Amino acid sequence: MKDLVIVGAGQSAAQCVLTLKRNNFEKPIVVIGEEDHLPYQRPPLSKDYLSGDVELDRVYMKTQDFYDQNNVTVKVATKVLSLDRREKMVHLSKGEALPYENLVLATGSRVRQLEVEGSDLKNINYLRSINDSNNLKDQFQKGKSLVIIGAGYIGLEVAAAAVKKGLKVTVVEMEDRVMSRTVDPIISDYFDTLHRNKGVEIILGSALEKFEGKAFVEKVVCTDGTTLDADSVVVGVGILPNQELAESAGLRCNNGILVNEFGRTEDPSIFACGDCTNHPNFYVNKNIRLESVHNALEQAKTVALSLLGKPEKYDQVPWFWSDQFEEKLQTVGLSGDHDETVVRGSIEERLFMLFYLKKGELIAVDSVNNPKDFLISKKLVANKLKISSDVLCDQSVDLKDLLK
């Protein structure tokens, strides 16, 4: 019997397995991962696990016993070298050739690496794996200087964890505000102020020019002429989809592996899910690639249902979150195309929401420290609610009533 083979061993791969097993999938499953760990969650790597509040066993999705008891083989520290679609085989780094009946590509993404002078020095970190997080933990020593390149979610989450550990933290961002790619200036200003008040130095409008040092990084030189002392560096400047295996096998890719609404590629026996996919999203009415845990999990469920012969269209509104210090930012929808913003609540009291409208239609919401109303907001955005800004900012109006 040929197996179901899943290439990649992240959250999307694990969720695909879980959904299959909950629906009584009986065939053998082989999961192949390049890291020497069982499938695990990535968000804690820049948050609770990095700060030491969560132990490694809570980062793993499931224990080895679960896989053993469910006819799932997890091959760790193994790379898929090539995919032969005609013979329906994957060729592995350890010399093995594995036949498949169906194949799931859950290859995820990788960090975008900088190619500047000095980028090969030690203590320059990219945060994507458990091992990366462990290495960074070792460098979190009180009084040391940490420079972070990039003020996106990862950069600011690491900054928060580092400050708590007593490090001197500087964040360098080439744009004129933090998290500029994902949020409105109101949210940027709020988190910029938060970090500065906690002791983080933030340099905006300046890019990295080079690193200096002998064996280890010692200084970070910026394009505006600023030179920063650095005992260690974290680079967080985006991620790229791991689509090379699919591309080399002749599968269509365009900023991700192209799949349909059921997670299927152009090859009827090959599916893909998670960060590596470019997929149709009915909420924004176009193909997109998403870097989010929600997408990784929900798309994995879609693929599993397709494999079970119970196909359901992937029709999810994107949502994301970020924990920085004691603050929780939650975002639903994609705000880039808005023409109006409405604030609800009090920025001063650290409890507010920002609604994004386009031609009177609610397309996205940012929520700060308001998880209860955020749950309702997810439904409002999914319903493409048409509403006036006066109603949204009126706190005497219960958001639940807008669902009726």
Side-chain angles (χ1 to χ4, degrees):
M1 181 190 295
K2 287 188 175 181
D3 301 335
L4 166 64
V5 174
I6 301 177
V7 181
Q11 281 185 267
S12 209
Q15 184 61 60
C16 189
V17 170
L18 291 173
T19 304
L20 289 168
K21 289 303 173 181
R22 283 173 190 150
N23 286 273
N24 304 312
F25 185 83
E26 297 296 337
K27 295 176 183 177
I29 301 174
V30 180
V31 178
I32 306 167
E34 292 186 27
E35 294 183 49
D36 50 0
H37 294 280
L38 293 173
Y40 60 88
Q41 307 167 68
R42 292 201 190 275
L45 303 184
S46 61
K47 303 180 182 80
D48 295 345
Y49 181 69
L50 180 60
S51 61
D53 296 334
V54 164
E55 295 299 320
L56 184 57
D57 58 352
R58 285 180 56 197
V59 177
Y60 288 124
M61 296 280 284
K62 288 290 180 182
T63 64
Q64 183 65 55
D65 285 347
F66 168 84
Y67 298 109
D68 292 341
Q69 292 163 13
N70 284 279
N71 199 18
V72 180
T73 302
V74 182
K75 292 180 177 289
V76 299
T78 304
K79 183 180 176 67
V80 176
L81 299 177
S82 63
L83 160 60
D84 185 332
R85 288 167 54 197
R86 189 171 59 83
E87 297 293 332
K88 297 185 81 168
M89 301 274 281
V90 288
H91 296 272
L92 310 182
S93 55
K94 297 180 179 179
E96 189 179 357
L98 200 62
Y100 64 85
E101 180 182 359
N102 286 301
L103 181 70
V104 177
L105 298 174
T107 48
S109 53
R110 64 188 182 279
V111 294
R112 187 188 299 274
Q113 300 217 4
L114 295 175
E115 295 182 5
V116 299
E117 184 181 337
S119 56
D120 57 344
L121 291 169
K122 293 180 182 177
N123 281 9
I124 296 175
N125 303 272
Y126 292 86
L127 186 53
R128 192 66 186 159
S129 68
I130 286 174
N131 294 345
D132 292 339
S133 196
N134 287 340
N135 289 339
L136 191 53
K137 272 184 181 183
D138 292 341
Q139 297 165 39
F140 271 21
Q141 297 172 25
K142 189 172 182 179
K144 296 287 188 179
S145 296
L146 172 68
V147 176
I148 298 171
I149 309 299
Y153 286 174
I154 295 294
L156 295 182
E157 287 168 4
V158 170
V163 164
K164 288 181 191 174
K165 292 292 182 183
L167 280 80
K168 182 189 174 197
V169 180
T170 304
V171 177
V172 178
E173 170 56 53
M174 66 188 298
E175 300 297 335
D176 60 0
R177 60 187 179 90
V178 304
M179 298 188 291
S180 63
R181 194 166 65 93
T182 50
V183 299
D184 183 88
I186 291 172
I187 303 291
S188 292
D189 290 347
Y190 180 84
F191 281 92
D192 183 291
T193 301
L194 168 72
H195 279 264
R196 291 181 195 270
N197 287 343
K198 296 284 188 178
V200 178
E201 181 184 355
I202 299 176
I203 299 173
L204 299 172
S206 181
L208 169 71
E209 183 171 305
K210 63 180 177 177
F211 299 114
E212 292 181 345
K214 294 177 183 175
F216 291 81
V217 66
E218 296 171 21
K219 294 186 183 298
V220 173
V221 180
C222 303
T223 53
D224 67 354
T226 304
T227 298
L228 303 166
D229 291 332
D231 296 300
S232 57
V233 170
V234 172
V235 179
V237 291
I239 62 176
L240 300 167
N242 291 326
Q243 64 186 42
E244 290 76 12
L245 179 66
E247 261 181 327
S248 65
L251 293 170
R252 290 173 59 228
C253 298
N254 180 16
N255 183 31
I257 304 165
L258 288 166
V259 296
N260 66 11
E261 64 268 38
F262 302 108
R264 194 188 297 267
T265 69
E266 64 195 293
D267 185 320
S269 61
I270 301 179
F271 301 79
C273 52
D275 282 7
C276 66
T277 70
N278 188 316
H279 58 275
N281 186 283
F282 298 101
Y283 158 71
V284 292
N285 212 23
K286 64 180 180 181
N287 262 51
I288 57 176
R289 187 177 70 81
L290 284 173
E291 303 159 7
S292 80
V293 173
H294 170 248
N295 177 67
L297 298 179
E298 293 302 320
Q299 210 177 24
K301 294 175 186 175
T302 296
V303 166
L305 291 173
S306 293
L307 289 164
L308 290 159
K310 305 174 184 176
E312 289 183 11
K313 285 185 179 180
Y314 181 74
D315 189 10
Q316 297 278 330
V317 179
W319 74 272
F320 318 82
W321 84 93
S322 179
D323 295 320
Q324 299 173 33
F325 297 105
E326 295 77 35
E327 312 289 307
K328 180 175 281 294
L329 170 64
Q330 294 170 290
T331 296
V332 60
L334 301 174
S335 62
D337 205 17
H338 70 280
D339 54 32
E340 185 180 6
T341 56
V342 180
V343 177
R344 178 185 173 96
S346 170
I347 296 173
E348 292 74 22
E349 293 175 14
R350 298 165 51 199
L351 185 71
F352 69 99
M353 305 178 83
L354 193 63
F355 293 85
Y356 299 87
L357 301 168
K358 181 183 179 184
K359 296 179 180 175
E361 181 183 296
L362 184 62
I363 62 169
V365 178
D366 289 330
S367 168
V368 176
N369 301 326
N370 195 349
K372 182 182 172 186
D373 281 351
F374 179 71
L375 288 173
I376 302 166
S377 297
K378 287 168 75 174
K379 295 175 183 176
L380 295 176
V381 173
N383 290 349
K384 299 191 171 182
L385 181 75
K386 285 255 187 187
I387 190 159
S388 79
S389 56
D390 292 341
V391 173
L392 282 174
C393 68
D394 185 350
Q395 291 195 84
S396 69
V397 176
D398 191 330
L399 291 181
K400 275 186 188 172
D401 293 339
L402 302 179
L403 290 170
K404 296 172 183 174

